[in-house]
């Protein structure tokens, strides 16, 4: 299983799937997703950071930048 850093907190997040998992029986699941935001930017975020995003308005890259504070 590979991992990618979360654009919000910087934590390495497991990413399931792909050729690397084909020959293993690892049961670990993906820990995040890539989101396309209202301003057209894309960010890979862990589920904890996604929960911290505002839900009362459109999310932008500025909101992702504040996650690391």
């Amino acid at each position: 299983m590979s991992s990618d850093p979360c654009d919000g907190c910087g934590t390495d997040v497991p990413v399931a799937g792909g050729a690397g998992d084909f020959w293993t029986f690892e049961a670990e699941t993906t820990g995040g997703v890539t989101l396309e935001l209202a301003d057209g930017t894309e960010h890979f975020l862990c589920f904890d950071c996604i929960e911290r995003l505002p839900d009362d308005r459109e999310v932008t890259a500025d909101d992702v930048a504040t996650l690391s504070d």
Side-chain angles (χ1 to χ4, degrees):
M1 175 162 301
S2 64
S3 64
D4 284 329
C6 171
D7 291 342
C9 65
T11 302
D12 277 340
V13 179
V15 179
D21 291 341
F22 186 73
W23 295 109
T24 67
F25 295 103
E26 293 182 25
E28 194 168 11
T29 61
T30 298
V33 295
T34 300
L35 300 177
E36 184 175 343
L37 305 180
D39 59 3
T41 60
E42 288 188 0
H43 299 274
F44 179 75
L45 298 172
C46 68
F47 293 129
D48 288 338
C49 283
I50 291 171
E51 287 293 319
R52 295 173 44 209
L53 292 172
D55 59 0
D56 60 342
R57 60 183 167 76
E58 297 283 340
V59 178
T60 65
D62 290 337
D63 296 312
V64 173
T66 63
L67 294 173
S68 63
D69 294 342

